[in-house]
Amino acid sequence: MVSSLLIPALSAILAIASPIDNTQPRGTNPISIASAEFLGNQTADNSCSHRDLGFPGSINGKWYAVYGDTLWCAPGVTDPLKDDTSSFHGMVRDSVSLMTEDPLKVHDLFLNDDSPVPHQKQFVPYNASWGEDASWGFGGTSLCETDADAKEAAIFFLRNANDDGLKGAGIGRVKVLNGTPTVVERYGHNGYWWDSSTNPRYGDLLAYCDIWSDYIYAVGGAPTNVTDFIGSCYSYMVRVKKSEAFDLSKYQYWHGVQRGWSSTRLETFNSNTAIFWGVGQGQIVWNAHYDCYIFVHLSIAGDQVLLRTAKRPEGPWSADVKAYDVSSSSPGGGMAYAGVAYPYLDHSGQTLTVAYTKMPNCIEVVKLTFV
Ligand SMILES: *[C@@H]1O[C@H](CO)[C@@H](O)[C@H](O)[C@H]1NC(C)=O
Ligand SMILES: *[C@@H]1O[C@H](CO)[C@@H](O)[C@H](O)[C@H]1NC(C)=O
Ligand SMILES: *[C@@H]1O[C@H](CO)[C@@H](O)[C@H](O)[C@H]1NC(C)=O
């Protein structure tokens, strides 16, 4: 009889000899789409801008969306469709809003004094003493609750120095102050933890606060030193207990199905240690109807909303089911990216309202009904 202790050792040796591609789809995807209804564009009820991303996350029962580039509309304009887009009216690299029961209407937070229409200030502030300025990109995803009673959350972000390249992925502590999620502290030397030349950009693709465990999960793109096309399309996962999210030493790195979680940083980047290949920004949500996690994201071509499923956030993940053709909402197409979902709108999970950013900077909302 073969000792069961030998089996993990043997599989580790086999994995080195011929790495198993852990990004290939596994299992069956139970999703079947009954209908997909285009609801419209998402706008704010108290400010006006063109924005992208809008990753939802909840703190103490309230849902907030974190946006990326937020281009202010011209002074006084309240409808983005009536904006004069031939000139520039100012922008911030990220912003935060309160979600409402209507996925087409958000209430913008952290506003400036512009009158008669105020505009959003930058959610994750730049810090000049770390060499940053207002032009630096941010690359943030969902707020992840770390302490409900204290109304605290973590935000993962990726510092992007534009022509100077990506710097690194980091985390900020967020506290709800006077109803507004506010970044009160950023961690790490120069305000980030994971130098992106040699570490994955943890959290730049998605961040998920698990409803079934104590963990926050985050996925990020390959280190920038990986320059071949295939290698640069893999993404990697970390997790940390919600109560320990601000302590870098408590993070666990996913080393692939054969080796599992480890507090040793990942230094081998390939199909065996990756979680996904060729996916952009998206969102993981739990779905009660199918009793599984759903990863909402867009196809590489940006023309379809795709849903894949798993029993655990670290997978294995199934193949994608096509949920919606982006060209249905506006014939002639347009590239879309950054899939998000609003699971709180239907706790039964029979429907899932999703959204994505149609280029340039228009967030479109679609309601999916499952069989
Ligand atoms: C959504 O916004 C786009 C421009 O960003 C516009 O062309 C389209 O008509 C809008 N759709 C609706 C339903 O308002
Ligand atoms: C900005 O950086 C300085 C220098 O490291 C640091 O002392 C300060 O706390 C940072 N400010 C914020 C708001 O993070
Ligand atoms: C990553 O790439 C940079 C720029 O090419 C190089 O200076 C650095 O040594 C590389 N780091 C590693 C660990 O390979």
Side-chain angles (χ1 to χ4, degrees), residues 125 127 129-130 185-186:
N127 189 337
S129 52
W130 289 327
E185 193 170 1
R186 282 174 53 194

Side-chain angles (χ1 to χ4, degrees), residues 7 73 90 106 163 178 200 220 262 282 352 365-367:
I7 293 169
C73 290
V106 299
D163 291 347
N178 301 318
S262 162
L352 183 64
V365 185
V366 174
K367 183 175 183 178

Side-chain angles (χ1 to χ4, degrees), residues 25-40:
R26 293 215 164 67
T28 43
N29 186 329
I31 295 177
S32 173
I33 308 288
S35 65
E37 181 193 357
F38 178 71
L39 299 182

